[in-house]
Coordinates of all heavy atoms in Angstrom, one line a residue:
M1 N 33.3 -38.8 -7.5 CA 33.4 -38.3 -6.1 C 33.7 -36.8 -6.2 O 33.2 -36.0 -5.4 CB 34.6 -39.0 -5.4 CG 34.2 -40.3 -4.8 SD 32.9 -39.9 -3.6 CE 33.1 -41.2 -2.5
K2 N 34.6 -36.4 -7.0 CA 35.1 -35.0 -7.1 C 33.9 -34.1 -7.4 O 33.8 -33.0 -6.8 CB 36.2 -34.9 -8.2 CG 36.9 -33.6 -8.2 CD 38.0 -33.8 -9.2 CE 38.8 -32.6 -9.3 NZ 39.9 -32.7 -10.4
N3 N 33.1 -34.5 -8.3 CA 31.9 -33.7 -8.7 C 30.9 -33.5 -7.6 O 30.3 -32.5 -7.5 CB 31.3 -34.3 -10.0 CG 30.4 -33.3 -10.7 OD1 30.5 -32.2 -10.5 ND2 29.6 -33.9 -11.6
S4 N 30.7 -34.6 -6.8 CA 29.7 -34.5 -5.8 C 30.2 -33.6 -4.6 O 29.4 -32.9 -4.0 CB 29.3 -35.9 -5.2 OG 30.5 -36.5 -4.6
A5 N 31.5 -33.6 -4.4 CA 32.1 -32.7 -3.4 C 31.9 -31.2 -3.8 O 31.6 -30.4 -3.0 CB 33.5 -33.0 -3.2
L6 N 32.1 -31.0 -5.1 CA 31.9 -29.6 -5.7 C 30.5 -29.2 -5.5 O 30.2 -28.1 -5.1 CB 32.4 -29.6 -7.1 CG 32.3 -28.3 -7.8 CD1 33.2 -27.2 -7.1 CD2 32.6 -28.4 -9.3
K7 N 29.6 -30.1 -5.8 CA 28.1 -29.8 -5.7 C 27.8 -29.5 -4.2 O 27.0 -28.6 -4.0 CB 27.3 -30.9 -6.2 CG 27.2 -31.0 -7.7 CD 26.3 -32.1 -8.1 CE 26.3 -32.3 -9.6 NZ 25.5 -33.4 -10.0
G8 N 28.3 -30.2 -3.3 CA 28.1 -30.0 -1.9 C 28.6 -28.7 -1.5 O 28.0 -27.9 -0.7
A9 N 29.8 -28.3 -1.9 CA 30.4 -27.0 -1.5 C 29.6 -25.9 -2.1 O 29.3 -24.9 -1.4 CB 31.8 -27.0 -2.0
L10 N 29.2 -26.0 -3.4 CA 28.3 -25.0 -4.0 C 27.0 -24.8 -3.3 O 26.4 -23.8 -3.1 CB 28.1 -25.2 -5.5 CG 29.4 -25.0 -6.3 CD1 29.1 -25.4 -7.8 CD2 29.8 -23.5 -6.3
G11 N 26.4 -26.0 -2.9 CA 25.1 -26.0 -2.1 C 25.3 -25.3 -0.8 O 24.4 -24.5 -0.4
A12 N 26.4 -25.5 -0.1 CA 26.6 -24.9 1.2 C 26.8 -23.4 1.0 O 26.3 -22.6 1.8 CB 27.8 -25.5 1.9
L13 N 27.5 -23.0 -0.1 CA 27.7 -21.6 -0.4 C 26.4 -20.9 -0.7 O 26.1 -19.8 -0.3 CB 28.7 -21.4 -1.5 CG 29.2 -20.1 -1.9 CD1 29.9 -19.4 -0.7 CD2 30.1 -20.1 -3.1
A14 N 25.5 -21.6 -1.4 CA 24.2 -21.0 -1.8 C 23.4 -20.8 -0.5 O 22.7 -19.8 -0.4 CB 23.5 -21.9 -2.8
V15 N 23.4 -21.8 0.4 CA 22.6 -21.7 1.6 C 23.1 -20.5 2.4 O 22.3 -19.7 3.0 CB 22.7 -23.0 2.4 CG1 22.1 -22.8 3.8 CG2 21.9 -24.1 1.7
A16 N 24.4 -20.3 2.5 CA 25.0 -19.2 3.3 C 24.6 -17.9 2.6 O 24.3 -16.9 3.3 CB 26.5 -19.3 3.3
G17 N 24.6 -17.8 1.3 CA 24.2 -16.6 0.6 C 22.7 -16.2 0.9 O 22.4 -15.1 1.1
V18 N 21.9 -17.2 0.8 CA 20.4 -17.0 1.1 C 20.3 -16.5 2.6 O 19.4 -15.6 2.8 CB 19.6 -18.3 0.8 CG1 18.2 -18.2 1.4 CG2 19.6 -18.6 -0.7
A19 N 21.0 -17.1 3.5 CA 20.9 -16.7 4.9 C 21.3 -15.2 5.0 O 20.7 -14.5 5.8 CB 21.8 -17.6 5.7
L20 N 22.4 -14.8 4.4 CA 22.8 -13.4 4.4 C 21.8 -12.5 3.9 O 21.5 -11.4 4.4 CB 24.1 -13.2 3.7 CG 25.4 -13.8 4.4 CD1 26.6 -13.7 3.5 CD2 25.6 -13.1 5.7
I21 N 21.2 -12.8 2.8 CA 20.1 -12.0 2.2 C 18.9 -11.9 3.1 O 18.3 -10.8 3.3 CB 19.7 -12.6 0.8 CG1 20.9 -12.4 -0.2 CG2 18.5 -11.9 0.2 CD1 20.7 -13.1 -1.5
A22 N 18.5 -13.0 3.7 CA 17.4 -13.0 4.6 C 17.7 -12.2 5.8 O 16.8 -11.4 6.3 CB 17.1 -14.5 5.0
K23 N 18.9 -12.2 6.3 CA 19.3 -11.4 7.5 C 19.2 -9.9 7.2 O 18.6 -9.1 8.0 CB 20.7 -11.8 7.9 CG 21.2 -11.0 9.1 CD 22.6 -11.3 9.4 CE 23.2 -10.4 10.5 NZ 24.6 -10.7 10.8
K24 N 19.6 -9.5 6.0 CA 19.6 -8.1 5.6 C 18.1 -7.7 5.4 O 17.8 -6.6 5.8 CB 20.4 -7.9 4.3 CG 20.5 -6.5 3.9 CD 21.4 -5.7 4.9 CE 21.7 -4.4 4.4 NZ 22.5 -3.6 5.4
A25 N 17.3 -8.5 4.9 CA 15.9 -8.2 4.7 C 15.2 -8.0 6.0 O 14.4 -7.1 6.2 CB 15.2 -9.3 3.9
I26 N 15.5 -8.9 7.0 CA 14.9 -8.7 8.3 C 15.4 -7.4 9.0 O 14.6 -6.8 9.6 CB 15.3 -10.0 9.2 CG1 14.6 -11.2 8.7 CG2 15.0 -9.7 10.7 CD1 15.1 -12.5 9.3
Q27 N 16.6 -7.1 8.8 CA 17.1 -5.8 9.4 C 16.4 -4.6 8.8 O 16.0 -3.7 9.5 CB 18.6 -5.7 9.2 CG 19.5 -6.6 10.0 CD 21.0 -6.5 9.6 OE1 21.3 -6.0 8.5 NE2 21.8 -7.0 10.4
R28 N 16.2 -4.6 7.5 CA 15.5 -3.5 6.9 C 14.1 -3.4 7.3 O 13.5 -2.4 7.4 CB 15.7 -3.6 5.3 CG 17.1 -3.3 4.9 CD 17.3 -3.2 3.5 NE 18.6 -2.7 3.2 CZ 19.0 -2.4 2.0 NH1 18.2 -2.6 0.9 NH2 20.2 -2.0 1.8
K29 N 13.4 -4.6 7.4 CA 12.0 -4.6 7.8 C 11.9 -4.1 9.2 O 11.0 -3.3 9.5 CB 11.5 -6.0 7.8 CG 10.0 -6.2 8.1 CD 9.5 -7.6 7.9 CE 8.1 -7.7 8.2 NZ 7.5 -9.0 8.0
R30 N 12.9 -4.4 10.1 CA 12.9 -3.9 11.5 C 13.1 -2.4 11.5 O 12.5 -1.6 12.2 CB 14.0 -4.6 12.3 CG 13.9 -4.4 13.7 CD 14.9 -5.2 14.5 NE 14.8 -6.7 14.2 CZ 15.8 -7.5 14.0 NH1 17.0 -7.1 14.1 NH2 15.6 -8.8 13.8
F31 N 13.9 -1.9 10.6 CA 14.1 -0.4 10.4 C 12.9 0.3 10.0 O 12.5 1.3 10.6 CB 15.2 -0.2 9.4 CG 15.4 1.3 9.0 CD1 16.0 2.2 9.9 CD2 14.9 1.8 7.8 CE1 16.1 3.5 9.5 CE2 15.0 3.1 7.5 CZ 15.6 4.0 8.3
I32 N 12.2 -0.2 9.0 CA 10.9 0.4 8.6 C 9.9 0.4 9.7 O 9.2 1.4 9.9 CB 10.4 -0.3 7.3 CG1 11.4 -0.1 6.1 CG2 9.0 0.2 6.9 CD1 11.5 1.3 5.7
K33 N 9.8 -0.7 10.4 CA 8.8 -0.8 11.5 C 9.1 0.2 12.5 O 8.2 0.8 13.1 CB 8.9 -2.3 12.1 CG 7.7 -2.6 12.9 CD 7.8 -4.1 13.3 CE 6.5 -4.5 14.0 NZ 6.5 -5.9 14.4
G34 N 10.4 0.4 12.8 CA 10.8 1.4 13.8 C 10.5 2.8 13.4 O 10.0 3.7 14.2
I35 N 10.6 3.1 12.1 CA 10.2 4.4 11.5 C 8.7 4.6 11.7 O 8.3 5.7 12.1 CB 10.6 4.5 10.0 CG1 12.1 4.6 9.9 CG2 9.9 5.7 9.4 CD1 12.8 5.9 10.4
F36 N 7.9 3.6 11.4 CA 6.5 3.7 11.6 C 6.1 4.0 13.0 O 5.3 4.8 13.3 CB 5.7 2.5 11.1 CG 5.6 2.4 9.6 CD1 5.9 1.2 8.9 CD2 5.2 3.5 8.8 CE1 5.8 1.1 7.5 CE2 5.1 3.4 7.4 CZ 5.4 2.2 6.8
D37 N 6.8 3.3 13.9 CA 6.5 3.5 15.4 C 7.0 4.9 15.8 O 6.3 5.5 16.6 CB 7.2 2.4 16.2 CG 6.5 1.0 16.0 OD1 5.4 1.0 15.5 OD2 7.2 0.0 16.3
E38 N 8.1 5.3 15.4 CA 8.7 6.6 15.8 C 7.8 7.7 15.4 O 7.6 8.7 16.2 CB 10.1 6.7 15.3 CG 10.8 8.0 15.7 CD 12.2 8.1 15.1 OE1 12.7 7.1 14.6 OE2 12.7 9.2 15.1
Y39 N 7.3 7.7 14.2 CA 6.5 8.8 13.7 C 5.0 8.6 13.9 O 4.2 9.5 13.5 CB 6.8 9.1 12.3 CG 8.2 9.7 12.1 CD1 9.3 8.9 11.7 CD2 8.4 11.0 12.2 CE1 10.6 9.4 11.6 CE2 9.7 11.6 12.1 CZ 10.7 10.8 11.8 OH 12.0 11.4 11.6
G40 N 4.6 7.5 14.6 CA 3.2 7.3 14.9 C 2.3 7.1 13.7 O 1.2 7.5 13.7
I41 N 2.9 6.4 12.7 CA 2.1 6.1 11.5 C 1.3 4.8 11.8 O 1.9 3.7 12.0 CB 3.0 5.9 10.3 CG1 3.9 7.2 10.1 CG2 2.2 5.6 9.1 CD1 5.0 7.0 9.1
K42 N 0.0 4.9 11.7 CA -0.9 3.7 12.0 C -1.0 2.8 10.8 O -1.1 1.6 10.9 CB -2.2 4.2 12.6 CG -2.1 5.1 13.8 CD -3.2 4.9 14.7 CE -3.2 5.8 15.9 NZ -2.0 6.0 16.6
E43 N -1.2 3.4 9.6 CA -1.3 2.6 8.4 C 0.0 2.1 7.9 O 0.9 2.9 7.5 CB -2.0 3.5 7.3 CG -2.3 2.7 6.1 CD -2.9 3.6 5.0 OE1 -3.3 4.7 5.3 OE2 -2.9 3.2 3.8
K44 N 0.3 0.9 8.0 CA 1.6 0.3 7.7 C 1.7 0.0 6.2 O 1.8 -1.1 5.8 CB 1.8 -1.0 8.5 CG 1.6 -0.9 10.0 CD 2.7 -0.2 10.7 CE 2.5 -0.2 12.2 NZ 3.1 0.8 12.9
S45 N 1.7 1.1 5.5 CA 1.8 1.0 4.0 C 2.6 2.2 3.5 O 2.8 3.2 4.2 CB 0.5 0.9 3.4 OG -0.2 2.1 3.4
P46 N 3.1 2.1 2.3 CA 3.7 3.3 1.7 C 2.8 4.5 1.6 O 3.2 5.6 1.7 CB 4.1 2.8 0.3 CG 4.1 1.4 0.3 CD 3.1 1.0 1.4
F47 N 1.5 4.3 1.5 CA 0.5 5.4 1.5 C 0.5 6.1 2.8 O 0.3 7.3 2.9 CB -0.8 4.9 1.1 CG -0.8 4.3 -0.3 CD1 -1.0 2.9 -0.5 CD2 -0.6 5.1 -1.4 CE1 -1.0 2.4 -1.7 CE2 -0.6 4.5 -2.7 CZ -0.8 3.1 -2.8
G48 N 0.5 5.3 3.9 CA 0.5 5.9 5.3 C 1.8 6.8 5.5 O 1.7 7.8 6.1
L49 N 2.9 6.3 5.0 CA 4.2 7.0 5.1 C 4.1 8.3 4.3 O 4.5 9.4 4.7 CB 5.3 6.1 4.6 CG 6.7 6.8 4.7 CD1 7.1 7.2 6.1 CD2 7.8 5.8 4.1
A50 N 3.5 8.2 3.1 CA 3.4 9.4 2.2 C 2.5 10.4 2.8 O 2.8 11.6 2.8 CB 2.9 9.0 0.8
D51 N 1.4 10.0 3.5 CA 0.5 10.9 4.1 C 1.3 11.7 5.3 O 1.1 12.9 5.5 CB -0.7 10.2 4.7 CG -1.6 9.8 3.6 OD1 -1.6 10.3 2.5 OD2 -2.5 8.9 3.9
K52 N 2.1 10.9 6.0 CA 2.8 11.5 7.1 C 3.9 12.5 6.6 O 4.1 13.6 7.2 CB 3.5 10.4 7.9 CG 4.2 10.9 9.2 CD 3.2 11.5 10.1 CE 3.8 11.9 11.4 NZ 2.9 12.5 12.4
I53 N 4.5 12.2 5.5 CA 5.5 13.1 4.9 C 4.9 14.4 4.5 O 5.5 15.4 4.7 CB 6.2 12.4 3.7 CG1 7.2 11.3 4.3 CG2 7.0 13.4 2.9 CD1 7.8 10.4 3.2
R54 N 3.7 14.3 3.9 CA 3.0 15.5 3.5 C 2.7 16.5 4.7 O 2.7 17.7 4.6 CB 1.7 15.2 2.8 CG 1.9 14.7 1.4 CD 0.5 14.6 0.7 NE 0.7 13.5 -0.3 CZ 0.1 12.3 -0.3 NH1 -0.6 12.0 0.8 NH2 0.3 11.5 -1.2
E55 N 2.5 15.9 5.9 CA 2.2 16.7 7.1 C 3.5 17.2 7.8 O 3.3 18.1 8.6 CB 1.4 15.8 8.1 CG 0.1 15.3 7.6 CD -0.5 14.3 8.6 OE1 0.1 14.0 9.6 OE2 -1.6 13.7 8.3
M56 N 4.6 16.7 7.4 CA 5.9 17.1 8.1 C 6.4 18.4 7.7 O 6.1 18.9 6.6 CB 7.0 16.1 7.8 CG 6.9 14.7 8.4 SD 8.3 13.8 7.8 CE 8.1 12.3 8.9
S57 N 7.1 19.0 8.6 CA 7.8 20.3 8.3 C 9.1 19.9 7.5 O 9.5 18.7 7.4 CB 8.2 21.0 9.6 OG 9.2 20.2 10.3
D58 N 9.7 20.9 6.9 CA 10.9 20.6 6.1 C 12.0 20.0 7.0 O 12.8 19.1 6.5 CB 11.4 21.9 5.5 CG 10.5 22.3 4.3 OD1 9.8 21.4 3.8 OD2 10.6 23.5 3.9
E59 N 12.2 20.4 8.2 CA 13.3 19.9 9.1 C 13.0 18.4 9.4 O 13.9 17.6 9.3 CB 13.3 20.7 10.4 CG 13.8 22.1 10.3 CD 13.8 22.8 11.6 OE1 13.4 22.2 12.6 OE2 14.1 24.0 11.6
D60 N 11.8 18.1 9.7 CA 11.5 16.7 10.0 C 11.6 15.8 8.8 O 12.1 14.7 8.9 CB 10.0 16.6 10.5 CG 9.8 17.2 11.9 OD1 10.8 17.3 12.6 OD2 8.7 17.5 12.2
Y61 N 11.3 16.3 7.6 CA 11.4 15.6 6.4 C 12.9 15.3 6.1 O 13.2 14.2 5.7 CB 10.7 16.3 5.2 CG 11.0 15.6 3.9 CD1 10.5 14.4 3.6 CD2 11.8 16.2 2.9 CE1 10.7 13.8 2.4 CE2 12.1 15.6 1.7 CZ 11.5 14.4 1.5 OH 11.8 13.7 0.3
Q62 N 13.7 16.3 6.3 CA 15.2 16.2 6.0 C 15.8 15.1 7.0 O 16.6 14.4 6.6 CB 15.9 17.5 6.1 CG 15.5 18.5 5.0 CD 15.8 17.9 3.6 OE1 16.7 17.2 3.4 NE2 14.9 18.3 2.7
E63 N 15.3 15.1 8.2 CA 15.8 14.2 9.2 C 15.4 12.7 8.8 O 16.2 11.8 8.8 CB 15.2 14.5 10.6 CG 15.6 13.5 11.6 CD 14.9 13.8 13.0 OE1 14.4 14.9 13.2 OE2 14.8 12.8 13.8
L64 N 14.1 12.6 8.4 CA 13.7 11.3 7.9 C 14.4 10.8 6.7 O 14.8 9.7 6.5 CB 12.2 11.3 7.6 CG 11.5 10.0 7.1 CD1 11.6 8.9 8.2 CD2 10.1 10.3 6.7
K65 N 14.6 11.7 5.7 CA 15.3 11.5 4.5 C 16.7 11.0 4.8 O 17.2 10.1 4.2 CB 15.3 12.7 3.6 CG 15.8 12.5 2.3 CD 15.6 13.8 1.5 CE 16.6 14.0 0.4 NZ 16.4 15.3 -0.3
G66 N 17.4 11.6 5.8 CA 18.7 11.3 6.2 C 18.8 9.9 6.8 O 19.7 9.1 6.5
K67 N 17.8 9.5 7.5 CA 17.7 8.2 8.1 C 17.6 7.1 7.0 O 18.2 6.1 7.1 CB 16.5 8.0 9.1 CG 16.7 8.8 10.4 CD 15.5 8.6 11.2 CE 15.7 9.5 12.5 NZ 14.5 9.4 13.4
F68 N 16.7 7.4 6.0 CA 16.6 6.4 4.9 C 17.8 6.3 4.1 O 18.2 5.2 3.7 CB 15.4 6.8 4.0 CG 14.1 6.3 4.5 CD1 13.2 7.1 5.2 CD2 13.7 5.0 4.4 CE1 12.0 6.7 5.6 CE2 12.5 4.5 4.8 CZ 11.6 5.3 5.4
K69 N 18.5 7.5 3.8 CA 19.7 7.4 3.1 C 20.8 6.6 3.8 O 21.6 5.9 3.2 CB 20.3 8.8 2.8 CG 19.6 9.5 1.6 CD 20.3 10.8 1.3 CE 19.8 11.4 0.0 NZ 20.5 12.6 -0.3
K70 N 20.9 6.8 5.1 CA 21.9 6.1 5.9 C 21.6 4.6 5.9 O 22.5 3.8 5.7 CB 21.8 6.6 7.4 CG 22.9 5.9 8.2 CD 22.8 6.5 9.6 CE 23.7 5.7 10.5 NZ 23.5 6.0 12.0
E71 N 20.3 4.2 6.0 CA 20.0 2.8 6.0 C 20.1 2.1 4.6 O 20.6 1.0 4.5 CB 18.6 2.6 6.5 CG 18.1 1.1 6.6 CD 18.8 0.3 7.6 OE1 19.4 0.9 8.6 OE2 18.8 -0.9 7.5
F72 N 19.7 2.8 3.6 CA 19.6 2.2 2.3 C 20.6 2.6 1.3 O 20.5 2.5 0.1 CB 18.2 2.4 1.7 CG 17.1 1.8 2.5 CD1 16.2 2.5 3.2 CD2 17.0 0.4 2.5 CE1 15.2 1.9 4.0 CE2 16.0 -0.2 3.2 CZ 15.1 0.5 4.0
H73 N 21.7 3.2 1.8 CA 22.8 3.7 0.8 C 23.4 2.5 0.1 O 23.5 1.4 0.6 CB 23.8 4.5 1.6 CG 24.8 3.8 2.4 ND1 24.4 3.3 3.6 CD2 26.0 3.3 2.1 CE1 25.5 2.6 4.1 NE2 26.4 2.6 3.3
S74 N 23.9 2.8 -1.1 CA 24.5 1.8 -1.9 C 26.0 1.9 -1.7 O 26.6 2.9 -1.6 CB 24.2 2.1 -3.4 OG 24.9 1.2 -4.2
R75 N 26.6 0.7 -1.6 CA 28.0 0.6 -1.4 C 28.8 0.4 -2.8 O 30.0 0.1 -2.8 CB 28.4 -0.5 -0.5 CG 27.9 -0.2 0.9 CD 28.1 -1.4 1.8 NE 27.4 -1.3 3.1 CZ 26.1 -1.5 3.3 NH1 25.4 -2.0 2.4 NH2 25.6 -1.4 4.5
C76 N 28.1 0.6 -3.9 CA 28.7 0.3 -5.2 C 29.7 1.3 -5.6 O 30.6 1.0 -6.3 CB 27.6 0.2 -6.2 SG 26.8 1.8 -6.6
C77 N 29.6 2.6 -5.1 CA 30.5 3.6 -5.6 C 31.0 4.5 -4.4 O 30.7 5.7 -4.4 CB 29.9 4.4 -6.7 SG 28.3 5.0 -6.3
K78 N 31.6 3.9 -3.4 CA 32.0 4.7 -2.3 C 33.0 5.8 -2.6 O 32.8 6.9 -2.1 CB 32.7 3.7 -1.3 CG 31.9 3.1 -0.3 CD 32.7 2.4 0.7 CE 31.9 1.9 1.9 NZ 32.6 1.1 2.8
K79 N 33.9 5.5 -3.5 CA 34.9 6.6 -3.8 C 34.5 7.5 -4.9 O 35.0 8.6 -5.1 CB 36.3 5.9 -4.2 CG 36.9 5.2 -3.0 CD 38.2 4.5 -3.4 CE 38.8 3.8 -2.2 NZ 40.0 3.1 -2.5
D80 N 33.6 7.0 -5.7 CA 33.1 7.8 -6.9 C 32.1 8.8 -6.4 O 31.1 8.5 -5.8 CB 32.5 6.9 -7.9 CG 32.2 7.6 -9.2 OD1 32.6 8.7 -9.4 OD2 31.4 7.0 -10.0
N81 N 32.3 10.1 -6.6 CA 31.4 11.2 -6.2 C 30.3 11.4 -7.2 O 29.4 12.2 -6.9 CB 32.2 12.5 -6.0 CG 33.1 12.4 -4.8 OD1 32.9 11.7 -3.9 ND2 34.2 13.2 -4.9
M82 N 30.2 10.7 -8.3 CA 29.2 10.8 -9.2 C 27.8 10.3 -8.7 O 26.8 10.8 -9.1 CB 29.5 10.0 -10.5 CG 30.8 10.5 -11.2 SD 30.6 12.2 -11.8 CE 29.5 11.9 -13.2
C83 N 27.8 9.4 -7.7 CA 26.6 8.9 -7.2 C 25.9 9.8 -6.2 O 24.8 9.5 -5.8 CB 26.9 7.5 -6.6 SG 27.3 6.3 -7.9
E84 N 26.6 10.8 -5.7 CA 26.0 11.6 -4.7 C 25.2 12.7 -5.3 O 25.7 13.8 -5.6 CB 27.2 12.3 -3.9 CG 27.9 11.3 -3.1 CD 29.1 12.0 -2.3 OE1 29.1 13.2 -2.2 OE2 29.9 11.2 -1.8
A85 N 24.0 12.4 -5.5 CA 23.1 13.4 -6.2 C 21.9 13.7 -5.2 O 21.6 13.0 -4.4 CB 22.5 12.9 -7.5

């Protein structure tokens, strides 16, 4: 009995972990879709984004870069300044 309860708890924990990962993936996909819509990129691929970046001014590129950094920043080293490159 004890072993099956442990397996059930681990199974529930695994399902919750998968749900959190799926939620984060959906949020990031929605962010990317918003970027494509905001900048009027018709080709929904990395190549379409790269073409648009080549056409941008430096100010627009820095703004876009800041948006990506804000969305995809790593939380692994918040206090460590070595990761800020």
Side-chain angles (χ1 to χ4, degrees):
M1 277 299 208
K2 192 176 180 182
N3 198 14
S4 65
L6 179 63
K7 285 182 183 179
L10 288 176
L13 187 62
V15 168
V18 169
L20 287 173
I21 291 170
K23 180 182 174 185
K24 188 66 173 178
I26 289 169
Q27 288 174 345
R28 287 185 172 188
K29 185 176 181 179
R30 196 174 299 139
F31 170 77
I32 295 294
K33 194 173 190 180
I35 291 291
F36 283 135
D37 291 341
E38 181 180 344
Y39 288 97
I41 302 170
K42 302 214 185 318
E43 184 182 344
K44 307 288 188 205
S45 72
F47 300 110
L49 181 61
D51 289 341
K52 185 64 176 182
I53 288 173
R54 282 188 208 107
E55 297 171 1
M56 288 181 170
S57 67
D58 286 338
E59 290 176 2
D60 291 339
Y61 174 67
Q62 292 303 325
E63 179 185 339
L64 178 66
K65 189 173 154 183
K67 288 179 184 179
F68 274 104
K69 277 189 174 184
K70 182 180 174 191
E71 180 67 23
F72 296 110
H73 74 280
S74 176
R75 293 173 189 85
C76 69
C77 51
K78 269 187 172 175
K79 294 180 182 179
D80 187 13
N81 292 332
M82 297 296 288
C83 292
E84 295 178 11

